[in-house]
Amino acid sequence: MIPGGGQPNMQQLLQQAQKMQQDLAKAQEELARTEVDGQAGGGLVKATVTGAGELRALKIDPKAVDPEDTETLADLVVAAVHAANENAQALQQQKLGPLAQGLGGGGIPGLPF
């Protein structure tokens, strides 16, 4: 008879889970420090967000500012922030995707996949 009845070593499983949690926390911290950009209007408006999606900076070229047409400027700002957030989500998938796969393919609260 096999010692332990062929059951997985619980201590080993717990250690693996703890390491995965540590790796996930480290990746999330790295995302919070990493900045990604998005732009609109051919670069007239640029938004910078963290890998976690927090807006950090917004740059508007003076050429984009028309007092008679603030609606277009608002649209450019929204588009730039949206593009930056898409880039942040791609970075999240790159950094956290493999970890989420190891934790059962998703189902982690707060993660977008």
Side-chain angles (χ1 to χ4, degrees), residues 1-82:
M1 196 153 142
I2 300 173
Q7 295 295 319
N9 181 335
M10 284 303 288
Q11 182 68 25
Q12 185 178 15
L13 288 175
L14 289 172
Q15 287 174 347
Q16 287 175 343
Q18 186 176 23
K19 182 184 182 326
M20 290 177 76
Q21 281 183 320
Q22 290 170 345
D23 290 348
L24 182 60
K26 182 180 175 184
Q28 287 174 323
E29 287 173 23
E30 187 176 322
L31 282 170
R33 289 189 311 267
T34 303
E35 292 184 347
V36 293
D37 294 321
Q39 58 179 318
L44 290 175
V45 177
K46 295 180 183 178
T48 302
V49 299
T50 66
E54 179 185 338
L55 182 63
R56 286 285 173 93
L58 186 62
K59 294 181 182 175
I60 301 172
D61 188 302
K63 292 180 225 164
V65 180
D66 178 358
E68 301 297 318
D69 186 14
T70 57
E71 191 173 307
T72 296
L73 177 57
D75 289 345
L76 290 174
V77 169
V78 169
V81 171
H82 181 73

